[in-house]
């Protein structure tokens, strides 16, 4: 075994963790556009060359932070959904549990939420490496909808998409194939549910609803329930609705 190589790898892992922790703190103060390797090195007490050894360019560091944020938020949803499913919850209750978990993560990590769901960072283009982590959130939603479809928990829509499917093959693959009628457009509806969830969180994290509603957490649940109706799913909002 090459002890020297192992030690070097361990050093890189430790240095990477220090750099990312520093960068996350600076995201709060500077935003993603304000990050630089020089500032991160200064804030972490490392030489710039040490930072560059693990993240040669600023974009490499941003990509690592983006991946971590998607993984952390996706994992939070997965845990919540798994716990609800293990408890025998309905698909609607699973959706609410997963959505609440994403909300909790978002409020606990507003800078990282902004990094992945806020305005694009000027000059930065997320590489393909970020796609699998970013897919964890819609994959949770797709899994819940697939379970609801298979369990007969969906209400058929009053109207379906007219014309051919608007989906890319990747979206159907994520769902697990083309759904049967009368739910043939459930994936399109699911994408609308996903985008509505993220938009709702943007409004709440960026304080766009605080002067419109008295209880933002309760309103979040209500909005999730209302949006879920577009996919034919009933989300329980009271104990007796389970």
């Amino acid at each position: 075994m090459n002890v020297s190589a192992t030690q070097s790898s361990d050093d890189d892992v430790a240095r990477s963790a220090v750099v990312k922790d520093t960068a996350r703190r600076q995201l709060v103060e500077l935003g993603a556009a304000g990050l630089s390797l020089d500032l991160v090195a200064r804030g972490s007490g490392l030489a710039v060359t040490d930072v560059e050894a693990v993240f040669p360019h600023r974009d490499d560091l941003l990509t690592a932070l983006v991946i971590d944020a998607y993984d952390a938020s996706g994992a939070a949803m997965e845990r919540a959904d798994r716990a609800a499913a293990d408890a025998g919850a309905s698909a609607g209750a699973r959706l609410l549990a997963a959505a609440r978990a994403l909300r909790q993560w978002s409020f606990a990590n507003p800078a990282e939420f902004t990094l992945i769901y806020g305005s694009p960072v000027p000059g930065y283009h997320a590489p393909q490496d970020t796609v699998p982590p970013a897919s964890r959130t819609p994959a949770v939603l797709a899994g819940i909808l697939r379970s609801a479809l298979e369990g007969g928990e969906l209400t058929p829509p009053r109207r379906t998409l007219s014309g051919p499917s608007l989906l890319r093959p990747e979206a159907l693959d994520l769902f697990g194939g083309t759904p049967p009628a009368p739910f043939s457009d459930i994936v399109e509806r699911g994408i609308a549910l996903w985008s509505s969830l993220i938009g709702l969180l943007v409004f709440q994290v960026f304080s766009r609803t605080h002067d419109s509603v008295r209880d933002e957490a309760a309103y979040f649940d209500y909005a999730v329930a209302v949006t879920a109706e577009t996919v034919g799913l009933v989300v329980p909002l009271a104990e007796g609705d389970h």
Side-chain angles (χ1 to χ4, degrees):
M1 184 177 79
N2 190 330
V3 176
S4 177
T6 301
Q7 181 63 49
S8 176
S9 176
D10 290 344
D11 289 345
D12 284 347
V13 170
R15 191 179 298 119
S16 173
V18 170
V19 170
K20 289 195 291 184
D21 285 345
T22 302
R24 290 188 189 99
R25 290 195 299 270
Q26 293 185 351
L27 277 178
V28 177
E29 302 172 5
L30 306 172
L35 278 184
S36 73
L37 297 187
D38 286 341
L39 287 174
V40 171
R42 195 176 309 143
S44 59
L46 298 171
V48 175
T49 52
D50 289 335
V51 175
E52 291 175 339
V54 286
F55 300 109
H57 305 284
R58 181 211 66 163
D59 286 6
D60 298 317
L61 176 56
L62 278 177
T63 295
L65 296 176
V66 166
I67 288 173
D68 283 355
Y70 276 129
D71 276 336
S73 57
M77 295 182 71
E78 290 162 1
R79 287 191 298 270
D81 178 41
R82 191 178 308 115
D86 289 346
S90 66
R94 287 172 56 188
L95 174 63
L96 184 59
R100 283 173 170 173
L102 182 57
R103 183 180 190 271
Q104 183 177 23
W105 179 88
S106 301
F107 274 88
N109 304 275
E112 291 167 86
F113 174 85
T114 302
L115 176 64
I116 57 177
Y117 292 123
S119 299
V121 181
Y124 173 72
H125 301 283
Q128 191 68 21
D129 292 352
T130 62
V131 174
S135 298
R136 292 177 72 167
T137 289
V140 171
L141 302 179
I144 292 171
L145 289 183
R146 168 60 70 178
S147 178
L149 179 63
E150 294 173 350
E153 295 185 62
L154 295 181
T155 301
R158 285 180 294 179
R159 67 175 186 179
T160 55
L161 180 70
S162 59
S165 171
L166 300 173
L167 299 173
R168 292 179 178 273
E170 297 87 348
L172 281 175
D173 290 343
L174 185 67
F175 185 75
T178 303
F183 302 103
S184 54
D185 65 351
I186 191 65
V187 182
E188 285 93 342
R189 290 171 179 269
I191 293 172
L193 171 66
W194 171 32
S195 59
S196 295
L197 174 60
I198 300 304
L200 175 61
L201 285 170
V202 167
F203 257 54
Q204 293 213 325
V205 173
F206 298 158
S207 297
R208 296 293 187 268
T209 56
H210 75 281
D211 55 0
S212 300
V213 299
R214 291 193 300 271
D215 185 333
E216 290 192 90
Y219 180 77
F220 178 84
D221 290 357
Y222 167 78
V224 170
V226 169
T227 307
E229 292 177 359
T230 65
V231 297
L233 192 59
V234 175
V235 169
L237 293 180
E239 198 65 32
D241 292 334
H242 284 275

